[in-house]
Amino acid sequence: MRPEIAVLDIQGQYRVYTEFYRADAAQKTIILVNGSMATTASFAQTAKNLYPQFNVVLYDQPYAGKSKAHNRHEKMLTKEIEGQILLELIDHFAAEHVLSFSWGGAATLTALAQRPRRIEKAVISSFSPVLNAPMRDYLERGVDYLSSLDGDLVGHLVNNTIGKHLPPLFKRFNYRHVSSLAEHEYGQMHFHINDVLHSDQQCYINAAKKVDVPVLFLNGEWDEYTSATDARLFANHVQHSTFTTLQATGHFLDMEHKAACRDSRDALLGFLKPSHHASRPRYSYVQDYHAVAI
């Protein structure tokens, strides 16, 4: 898998690093939306699960990864701005599908509420419309650590909460990544968390009501932070909604172990490409990337 790399100008305001994995036989393109503090590297396993059945697009938000060197970071990005960036990328790459992870679900719902004409199906993973007690505790501690720019504590917090089911190697990558972020990245994360803690959670429901394409909500059985039970509340608001719970896995789904990787791939292809044959090729379980997200 060798991507076509480009840094795209978004309405003269942001520069966004993108990776386009083109598959000659693919008929559809899917764009993947990161969680907060994550980069294109976080989707290494997911991209392998989707390619070459689809052309796959990865990108870094303007404040993160390989995009950050191309932007000034003069203001914080809201979920509405991230949603607009996603809409621009959908048009640029002519994507028919979108898949989000964790905080990326907020921007994705915001974008889908605009009913982009190209999008046919969407997957929203590890996201729910409820700010439950475990998630609130995680976010409130995160606000304290981020306000003091304590990367060490933030790194341990992520690994001990939403990342607690990750393999030890992934936890090491996570810690190394989170503990060494730039000051503006901690600031952006602080902004994200404050938005989640203080905004009306009804905004996610209001956006969901406007979505007019089939959506798969994918959650882990052991994820107490964005639980499968809470995610099912979207059923009352997304007209064409499907729900899948991955057994014996937490927040990070396909990153946590080989069976979860397999089950995640089966769920994605079963929803996006239902005619896909039940047999599966031999898996290569990626273990060289970070996984952070809220």
Side-chain angles (χ1 to χ4, degrees):
M1 294 173 60
R2 290 187 177 273
E4 301 170 19
I5 294 174
V7 178
L8 303 179
D9 182 272
I10 305 296
Q11 297 184 345
Q13 299 183 64
Y14 303 103
R15 301 276 288 170
V16 175
Y17 168 86
T18 64
E19 297 177 357
F20 181 43
Y21 294 86
R22 187 189 303 274
D24 292 339
Q27 298 180 341
K28 305 286 185 179
T29 296
I30 184 167
I31 186 166
L32 311 189
V33 186
N34 285 321
S36 187
M37 291 199 294
T39 70
T40 54
S42 301
F43 272 132
Q45 184 64 61
T46 309
K48 288 177 70 68
N49 283 349
L50 292 167
Y51 183 91
Q53 288 83 6
F54 299 94
N55 300 312
V56 179
V57 178
L58 308 180
Y59 71 100
D60 285 334
Q61 294 289 357
Y63 56 82
K66 295 179 181 178
S67 290
K68 63 184 178 182
H70 303 282
N71 294 278
R72 292 187 173 184
H73 317 298
E74 295 175 331
K75 62 180 180 178
M76 301 300 174
L77 270 68
T78 64
K79 61 181 177 295
E80 288 77 19
I81 293 174
E82 291 187 0
Q84 187 58 48
I85 289 171
L86 175 57
L87 289 171
E88 294 284 340
L89 295 177
I90 287 169
D91 283 345
H92 179 86
F93 290 101
E96 291 88 3
H97 303 316
V98 60
L99 182 156
S100 68
F101 174 69
S102 197
W103 170 257
T108 300
L109 281 175
T110 301
L112 292 176
Q114 301 300 312
R115 298 185 174 181
R117 61 183 179 84
R118 296 183 183 277
I119 294 298
E120 299 172 3
K121 292 182 179 181
V123 179
I124 295 180
S125 66
S126 296
F127 188 79
S128 86
V130 175
L131 185 61
N132 63 20
M135 178 61 88
R136 180 174 291 278
D137 175 70
Y138 164 63
L139 295 179
E140 288 177 346
R141 284 192 282 162
V143 164
D144 289 341
Y145 302 158
L146 288 162
S147 64
S148 60
L149 302 178
D150 194 326
D152 177 69
L153 287 178
V154 175
H156 287 303
L157 175 66
V158 171
N159 280 342
N160 293 333
T161 54
I162 59 173
K164 62 186 175 183
H165 298 295
L166 286 167
L169 180 62
F170 283 19
K171 288 186 177 183
R172 290 197 293 274
F173 283 126
N174 247 11
Y175 175 80
R176 185 173 64 191
H177 174 71
V178 174
S179 63
S180 61
L181 294 175
E183 183 173 337
H184 77 267
E185 291 177 275
Y186 291 130
Q188 180 67 52
M189 182 63 174
H190 189 277
F191 177 83
H192 276 168
I193 291 179
N194 270 324
D195 181 62
V196 175
L197 286 172
H198 298 114
S199 66
D200 182 0
Q201 299 299 295
Q202 186 66 29
C203 66
Y204 303 130
I205 296 299
N206 292 338
K209 290 177 179 178
K210 299 176 183 177
V211 176
D212 63 350
V213 297
V215 180
L216 168 65
F217 293 93
L218 188 63
N219 298 81
E221 177 188 17
W222 293 343
D223 183 3
E224 66 205 88
Y225 300 92
T226 54
S227 76
T229 299
D230 290 343
R232 286 183 179 274
L233 296 174
F234 279 122
N236 299 323
H237 309 287
V238 178
Q239 183 177 3
H240 306 290
S241 55
T242 303
F243 299 85
T244 295
T245 302
L246 297 189
Q247 301 302 302
T249 190
H251 189 74
F252 287 103
L253 304 179
D254 60 13
M255 306 179 191
E256 295 188 353
H257 53 81
K258 290 182 180 180
C261 176
R262 176 200 64 217
D263 293 346
S264 178
R265 182 179 189 273
D266 289 352
L268 292 177
L269 294 183
F271 173 73
L272 296 171
K273 200 171 184 178
S275 61
H276 186 76
H277 194 271
S279 63
R280 299 287 182 258
R282 182 169 58 88
Y283 281 84
S284 173
Y285 185 52
V286 175
Q287 296 197 5
D288 60 353
Y289 57 97
H290 60 263
V292 293
I294 69 165

